[in-house]
Amino acid sequence: MTTITRASKAVLFSSLVGAIYSPSCLAKINYADNSGFSITNESESAAPIEAVYSHFVQRVDMWWPKDHTWWKGTLSIDEQAGGCFCEVKGAASAAHMQISYVVPNEKVVMTGGLGPLQEMGLTGALTWEFSALEESESENENTKREFSPKTKVTLTYHASGNIHFNGKRASSEDAANLVKVVDKVQAQQLDALTAFSDRQHNEMAKDNAKR
């Protein structure tokens, strides 16, 4: 029977209540056992890659789900190697992950353990990859297609360490069940980014149409 601490349960499982998933989001558990796991999620945005990346770094406090935080505090990403994906509320602060690799508009790697995984002693690499796509929108009078750039964001988390609950090592089945939850949580986080970028993109298009 799997049990976890009350605090960890609040952070990890409450985020799944009322979850809504985008049809464009693709999730895959590459492997999972009580010594670690690997999961991959993909989602697309109608916004160009520069906008999505800017939202990712500069507006994380606006799109990251607040029920995926410790205190619903203020979030920030210091966009450089050694920087922090941090949360602050009053005198309380937490390093969600540390930045280890940055290529703007292409790839960001963060290391560490998210949420309750930190207290379990798990650590890993959380990789955000941004790739440009093209989608045909319309044809003009000369039958030339006009293309609008889109963005695909791929989120991969490779984590290692003994998965345990209250100091007791989890069975492979219980570990796999936990990883399913982590996978769904990360799908929510990724969808939150692309949905935010879509809203910003649509608002900009409406403003431009009025001019």
Side-chain angles (χ1 to χ4, degrees), residues 120-198:
M120 287 186 183
L122 269 70
T123 188
L126 183 71
T127 301
W128 302 79
E129 295 180 281
F130 302 80
S131 56
L133 304 172
E134 287 188 344
E135 179 185 14
S136 176
E137 283 195 332
S138 62
E139 294 185 3
N140 61 25
E141 61 275 11
N142 297 319
T143 68
K144 294 181 180 179
R145 290 188 180 276
E146 297 179 354
F147 291 93
S148 175
K150 293 178 60 179
T151 303
K152 180 175 76 171
V153 186
T154 304
L155 178 59
T156 303
Y157 194 21
H158 303 298
S160 299
N162 294 326
I163 297 177
H164 60 90
F165 305 104
N166 296 328
K168 183 178 180 180
R169 187 166 185 177
S171 66
S172 293
E173 180 181 0
D174 284 346
N177 288 334
L178 175 65
V179 174
K180 290 178 183 178
V181 175
V182 174
D183 183 51
K184 291 177 182 178
V185 168
Q186 294 210 334
Q188 284 185 311
Q189 293 160 351
L190 182 55
D191 276 346
L193 170 60
T194 54
F196 178 84
S197 292
D198 283 344

Side-chain angles (χ1 to χ4, degrees), residues 21 26 68 120 138:
Y21 300 101
L26 300 176
H68 295 198
M120 287 186 183
S138 62

Side-chain angles (χ1 to χ4, degrees), residues 5-51:
T5 65
R6 183 178 300 175
S8 296
K9 184 182 292 184
V11 173
L12 186 57
F13 288 93
S14 65
S15 58
L16 297 181
V17 177
I20 299 175
Y21 300 101
S22 165
S24 64
C25 184
L26 300 176
K28 179 182 179 182
I29 297 177
N30 302 313
Y31 73 84
D33 58 33
N34 56 11
S35 64
F37 60 86
S38 173
I39 55 180
T40 300
N41 282 277
E42 295 180 353
S43 188
E44 295 181 5
S45 171
I49 193 168
E50 295 82 4

Side-chain angles (χ1 to χ4, degrees), residues 74-90:
T74 300
L75 299 168
S76 63
I77 293 177
D78 183 9
E79 187 192 1
Q80 61 179 327
C84 181
F85 172 25
C86 287
E87 177 182 355
V88 176
K89 185 161 186 177

